[in-house]
Amino acid sequence: RKEVEQDPGPFNVPEGATVAFNCTYSNSASQSFFWYRQDCRKEPKLLMSVYSSGNEDGRFTAQLNRASQYISLLIRDSKLSDSATYLCVGGDNYGQNFVFGPGTRLSVLP
Amino acid sequence: DGGITQSPKYLFRKEGQNVTLSCEQNLNHDAMYWYRQDPGQGLRLIYYSQIVNDFQKGDIAEGYSVSREKKESFPLTVTSAQKNPTAFYLCASSMRQAATDTQYFGPGTRLTVL
Protein backbone atom coordinates (compact mmCIF):
# COMPACT_ATOMS: atom_id res chain seq x y z
CA ARG A 1 0.00 0.00 0.00
CA LYS A 2 1.40 3.34 -1.04
CA GLU A 3 1.25 5.57 2.01
CA VAL A 4 2.13 9.00 3.18
CA GLU A 5 2.63 9.38 6.90
CA GLN A 6 2.63 12.46 9.05
CA ASP A 7 2.95 13.24 12.73
CA PRO A 8 -0.70 13.98 13.62
CA GLY A 9 0.15 16.51 16.30
CA PRO A 10 -1.41 18.67 17.50
CA PHE A 11 1.47 21.08 17.58
CA ASN A 12 0.71 23.90 20.00
CA VAL A 13 3.22 26.72 19.60
CA PRO A 14 3.38 30.36 20.71
CA GLU A 15 3.18 33.18 18.21
CA GLY A 16 6.56 33.87 16.66
CA ALA A 17 7.84 30.33 17.09
CA THR A 18 9.42 28.24 14.36
CA VAL A 19 7.75 24.89 13.76
CA ALA A 20 8.68 22.00 11.49
CA PHE A 21 6.47 19.24 10.11
CA ASN A 22 7.76 15.99 8.72
CA CYS A 23 6.24 13.65 6.19
CA THR A 24 7.47 10.28 4.95
CA TYR A 25 6.32 8.40 1.87
CA SER A 26 6.66 4.73 1.04
CA ASN A 27 6.16 4.81 -2.73
CA SER A 28 9.58 5.28 -4.29
CA ALA A 29 7.85 6.07 -7.61
CA SER A 30 6.45 9.28 -6.16
CA GLN A 31 7.76 12.18 -8.17
CA SER A 32 5.85 15.24 -7.07
CA PHE A 33 5.04 16.51 -3.65
CA PHE A 34 2.87 19.24 -2.28
CA TRP A 35 1.85 20.80 1.00
CA TYR A 36 -1.78 21.78 1.37
CA ARG A 37 -3.37 23.73 4.18
CA GLN A 38 -6.85 22.83 5.41
CA ASP A 39 -8.82 25.02 7.77
CA CYS A 40 -11.48 23.47 9.97
CA ARG A 41 -14.46 22.26 7.91
CA LYS A 42 -13.04 23.77 4.71
CA GLU A 43 -11.42 22.40 1.57
CA PRO A 44 -7.64 21.92 1.29
CA LYS A 45 -5.80 24.76 -0.41
CA LEU A 46 -2.38 24.51 -1.99
CA LEU A 47 0.33 25.99 0.19
CA MET A 48 3.34 25.11 -1.92
CA SER A 49 4.84 22.54 -4.23
CA VAL A 50 8.01 20.79 -3.08
CA TYR A 51 10.95 20.78 -5.46
CA SER A 52 14.05 18.63 -5.31
CA SER A 53 16.22 21.61 -4.56
CA GLY A 54 13.93 22.82 -1.81
CA ASN A 55 11.91 25.97 -2.06
CA GLU A 56 10.93 28.91 0.05
CA ASP A 57 7.91 31.17 -0.01
CA GLY A 58 8.08 33.91 2.59
CA ARG A 59 7.98 32.30 6.02
CA PHE A 60 7.49 28.81 4.58
CA THR A 61 10.29 26.48 3.48
CA ALA A 62 9.80 23.02 1.98
CA GLN A 63 12.51 20.40 1.64
CA LEU A 64 12.61 17.04 -0.12
CA ASN A 65 15.02 14.21 0.65
CA ARG A 66 14.50 11.50 -1.94
CA ALA A 67 17.08 9.14 -0.45
CA SER A 68 15.22 9.07 2.85
CA GLN A 69 11.79 9.50 1.24
CA TYR A 70 11.12 12.42 3.51
CA ILE A 71 9.53 15.84 3.07
CA SER A 72 9.50 18.69 5.52
CA LEU A 73 7.73 22.02 5.97
CA LEU A 74 9.23 24.74 8.11
CA ILE A 75 7.17 27.72 9.26
CA ARG A 76 9.07 30.64 10.72
CA ASP A 77 7.63 33.45 12.85
CA SER A 78 4.30 31.65 13.32
CA LYS A 79 1.14 33.74 13.13
CA LEU A 80 -2.23 33.03 14.71
CA SER A 81 -3.59 32.69 11.17
CA ASP A 82 -1.24 29.76 10.52
CA SER A 83 -3.44 27.58 12.74
CA ALA A 84 -4.74 24.84 10.47
CA THR A 85 -4.11 21.24 9.43
CA TYR A 86 -1.21 20.75 7.01
CA LEU A 87 -1.53 17.92 4.51
CA CYS A 88 1.41 16.32 2.76
CA VAL A 89 0.72 14.89 -0.71
CA GLY A 90 2.79 12.67 -2.99
CA GLY A 91 2.06 11.79 -6.61
CA ASP A 92 3.60 9.39 -9.10
CA ASN A 93 4.46 10.09 -12.72
CA TYR A 94 1.06 9.12 -13.98
CA GLY A 95 -0.92 11.30 -11.62
CA GLN A 96 -2.99 8.32 -10.70
CA ASN A 97 -1.70 7.97 -7.23
CA PHE A 98 -2.03 11.27 -5.47
CA VAL A 99 -1.83 10.10 -1.89
CA PHE A 100 -2.71 12.45 0.92
CA GLY A 101 -1.27 12.11 4.38
CA PRO A 102 -3.64 12.33 7.36
CA GLY A 103 -2.45 15.84 8.16
CA THR A 104 -0.69 17.57 11.03
CA ARG A 105 -2.71 19.98 13.12
CA LEU A 106 -1.08 23.24 14.17
CA SER A 107 -2.41 25.64 16.79
CA VAL A 108 -0.56 28.93 17.16
CA LEU A 109 -1.31 30.43 20.55
CA PRO A 110 -1.26 34.13 21.52
CA ASP B 1 -14.51 34.01 -11.42
CA GLY B 2 -12.87 30.70 -12.30
CA GLY B 3 -13.17 27.87 -9.85
CA ILE B 4 -14.84 24.71 -8.69
CA THR B 5 -18.30 24.66 -7.21
CA GLN B 6 -19.99 21.91 -5.29
CA SER B 7 -23.57 21.66 -4.23
CA PRO B 8 -25.26 21.29 -1.91
CA LYS B 9 -23.01 22.37 0.96
CA TYR B 10 -24.92 20.19 3.41
CA LEU B 11 -26.99 17.14 2.52
CA PHE B 12 -29.07 14.87 4.69
CA ARG B 13 -30.15 11.49 3.47
CA LYS B 14 -32.25 8.72 4.83
CA GLU B 15 -30.81 5.24 4.82
CA GLY B 16 -31.54 3.40 1.61
CA GLN B 17 -31.69 6.50 -0.58
CA ASN B 18 -29.34 7.35 -3.41
CA VAL B 19 -28.09 10.94 -3.53
CA THR B 20 -26.11 12.83 -6.15
CA LEU B 21 -23.48 15.42 -5.33
CA SER B 22 -22.75 18.07 -7.93
CA CYS B 23 -19.29 19.24 -9.00
CA GLU B 24 -18.72 21.86 -11.70
CA GLN B 25 -15.53 23.58 -12.81
CA ASN B 26 -14.92 26.40 -15.28
CA LEU B 27 -11.14 26.13 -15.21
CA ASN B 28 -11.05 24.14 -18.47
CA HIS B 29 -9.32 21.33 -16.57
CA ASP B 30 -9.21 17.87 -18.14
CA ALA B 31 -8.92 15.85 -14.93
CA MET B 32 -11.42 15.70 -12.11
CA TYR B 33 -11.45 13.77 -8.85
CA TRP B 34 -13.72 12.83 -5.97
CA TYR B 35 -12.37 12.33 -2.46
CA ARG B 36 -13.92 11.41 0.84
CA GLN B 37 -12.63 12.74 4.16
CA ASP B 38 -13.62 11.35 7.54
CA PRO B 39 -12.99 13.23 10.80
CA GLY B 40 -9.31 13.33 11.70
CA GLN B 41 -8.31 11.45 8.58
CA GLY B 42 -6.74 12.20 5.25
CA LEU B 43 -8.45 12.27 1.88
CA ARG B 44 -9.26 8.99 0.16
CA LEU B 45 -9.80 8.81 -3.60
CA ILE B 46 -13.19 7.54 -4.75
CA TYR B 47 -13.12 8.08 -8.53
CA TYR B 48 -11.16 10.11 -11.04
CA SER B 49 -11.59 11.08 -14.66
CA GLN B 50 -8.96 12.11 -17.18
CA ILE B 51 -11.27 13.02 -20.05
CA VAL B 52 -14.91 13.18 -20.96
CA ASN B 53 -16.71 9.83 -21.00
CA ASP B 54 -13.88 8.11 -19.15
CA PHE B 55 -13.39 7.51 -15.44
CA GLN B 56 -11.49 5.14 -13.18
CA LYS B 57 -12.07 3.70 -9.72
CA GLY B 58 -9.97 4.99 -6.88
CA ASP B 59 -9.23 3.29 -3.59
CA ILE B 60 -12.78 3.28 -2.19
CA ALA B 61 -15.17 3.18 -5.17
CA GLU B 62 -17.58 0.60 -3.78
CA GLY B 63 -21.03 2.07 -3.24
CA TYR B 64 -20.35 5.09 -5.45
CA SER B 65 -20.88 5.90 -9.12
CA VAL B 66 -19.89 8.80 -11.36
CA SER B 67 -20.39 10.13 -14.86
CA ARG B 68 -18.39 12.52 -17.05
CA GLU B 69 -20.66 13.57 -19.88
CA LYS B 70 -19.26 17.10 -20.00
CA LYS B 71 -15.75 18.37 -19.37
CA GLU B 72 -16.90 20.79 -16.71
CA SER B 73 -19.11 18.41 -14.73
CA PHE B 74 -18.34 15.30 -12.65
CA PRO B 75 -21.31 14.34 -10.45
CA LEU B 76 -20.96 11.68 -7.76
CA THR B 77 -23.84 9.40 -6.75
CA VAL B 78 -23.72 7.85 -3.31
CA THR B 79 -25.80 4.71 -3.56
CA SER B 80 -27.60 2.75 -0.87
CA ALA B 81 -24.84 0.16 -1.23
CA GLN B 82 -22.39 2.49 0.51
CA LYS B 83 -22.51 1.27 4.10
CA ASN B 84 -21.10 4.28 5.86
CA PRO B 85 -21.70 7.33 3.67
CA THR B 86 -21.61 10.06 6.31
CA ALA B 87 -18.49 12.08 5.45
CA PHE B 88 -17.11 15.25 3.88
CA TYR B 89 -16.93 14.89 0.09
CA LEU B 90 -14.43 16.94 -1.87
CA CYS B 91 -14.22 17.38 -5.61
CA ALA B 92 -10.97 18.50 -7.24
CA SER B 93 -9.67 19.22 -10.71
CA SER B 94 -6.29 19.61 -12.36
CA MET B 95 -5.14 20.71 -15.79
CA ARG B 96 -4.11 17.19 -16.66
CA GLN B 97 -3.78 13.98 -14.74
CA ALA B 98 -0.09 14.40 -14.18
CA ALA B 99 1.95 14.25 -11.04
CA THR B 100 3.17 17.80 -11.51
CA ASP B 101 -0.26 19.32 -11.88
CA THR B 102 -1.76 20.89 -8.81
CA GLN B 103 -5.21 19.81 -7.75
CA TYR B 104 -7.69 22.54 -6.87
CA PHE B 105 -10.57 21.73 -4.57
CA GLY B 106 -14.18 22.75 -4.38
CA PRO B 107 -15.70 23.81 -1.02
CA GLY B 108 -17.03 20.31 -0.31
CA THR B 109 -20.35 18.71 0.56
CA ARG B 110 -21.08 17.36 4.03
CA LEU B 111 -23.32 14.32 3.75
CA THR B 112 -25.11 13.01 6.80
CA VAL B 113 -27.17 9.85 6.78
CA LEU B 114 -30.02 9.94 9.26
Side-chain angles (χ1 to χ4, degrees):
Chain A
R1 173 75 178 95
K2 304 179 241 328
E3 287 188 353
V4 172
E5 297 184 11
Q6 297 182 248
D7 183 338
F11 284 55
N12 297 316
V13 302
E15 253 186 305
T18 295
V19 60
F21 302 138
N22 299 322
C23 171
T24 58
Y25 61 96
S26 58
N27 181 9
S28 58
S30 295
Q31 293 295 316
S32 296
F33 304 91
F34 306 88
W35 283 101
Y36 279 77
R37 171 200 168 120
Q38 186 175 26
D39 292 292
C40 188
R41 301 179 72 82
K42 298 285 190 181
E43 74 274 23
K45 293 187 177 177
L46 180 68
L47 180 64
M48 57 198 307
S49 302
V50 185
Y51 303 121
S52 296
S53 55
N55 48 304
E56 185 174 312
D57 183 2
R59 298 182 292 108
F60 299 85
T61 300
Q63 294 281 349
L64 168 63
N65 183 323
R66 287 191 187 276
S68 302
Q69 297 188 189
Y70 166 98
I71 305 146
S72 65
L73 177 68
L74 183 77
I75 305 175
R76 290 181 298 279
D77 188 23
S78 300
K79 311 291 184 191
L80 296 177
S81 57
D82 293 334
S83 298
T85 296
Y86 291 83
L87 305 173
C88 174
V89 186
D92 65 21
N93 270 340
Y94 305 101
Q96 294 176 4
N97 291 298
F98 266 80
V99 181
F100 284 77
T104 297
R105 193 155 61 88
L106 171 66
S107 290
V108 180
L109 308 173
Chain B
D1 266 25
I4 304 174
T5 58
Q6 290 185 243
S7 61
K9 187 172 182 179
Y10 298 97
L11 185 59
F12 297 89
R13 183 193 101 174
K14 292 182 181 179
E15 275 193 46
Q17 286 182 336
N18 291 357
V19 290
T20 298
L21 281 57
S22 167
C23 177
E24 305 277 331
Q25 53 98 0
N26 61 3
L27 300 167
N28 200 33
H29 285 173
D30 286 325
M32 296 186 75
Y33 312 80
W34 272 106
Y35 292 91
R36 169 185 173 136
Q37 187 176 35
D38 293 283
Q41 299 190 31
L43 280 66
R44 291 184 290 167
L45 183 63
I46 304 173
Y47 268 97
Y48 61 95
S49 169
Q50 300 180 65
I51 56 172
V52 174
N53 292 324
D54 182 67
F55 47 83
Q56 306 294 330
K57 292 182 179 180
D59 297 324
I60 55 165
E62 186 175 349
Y64 299 99
S65 65
V66 293
S67 63
R68 187 87 187 276
E69 296 177 2
K70 298 186 293 183
K71 185 175 184 178
E72 59 271 22
S73 179
F74 191 40
L76 173 74
T77 297
V78 184
T79 75
S80 55
Q82 169 50 235
K83 297 305 178 190
N84 185 21
T86 294
F88 187 37
Y89 290 87
L90 288 157
C91 179
S93 70
S94 61
M95 182 67 72
R96 304 159 299 160
Q97 191 181 357
T100 52
D101 281 4
T102 305
Q103 293 188 15
Y104 296 92
F105 286 85
T109 293
R110 288 197 182 276
L111 173 64
T112 302
V113 174
L114 304 172

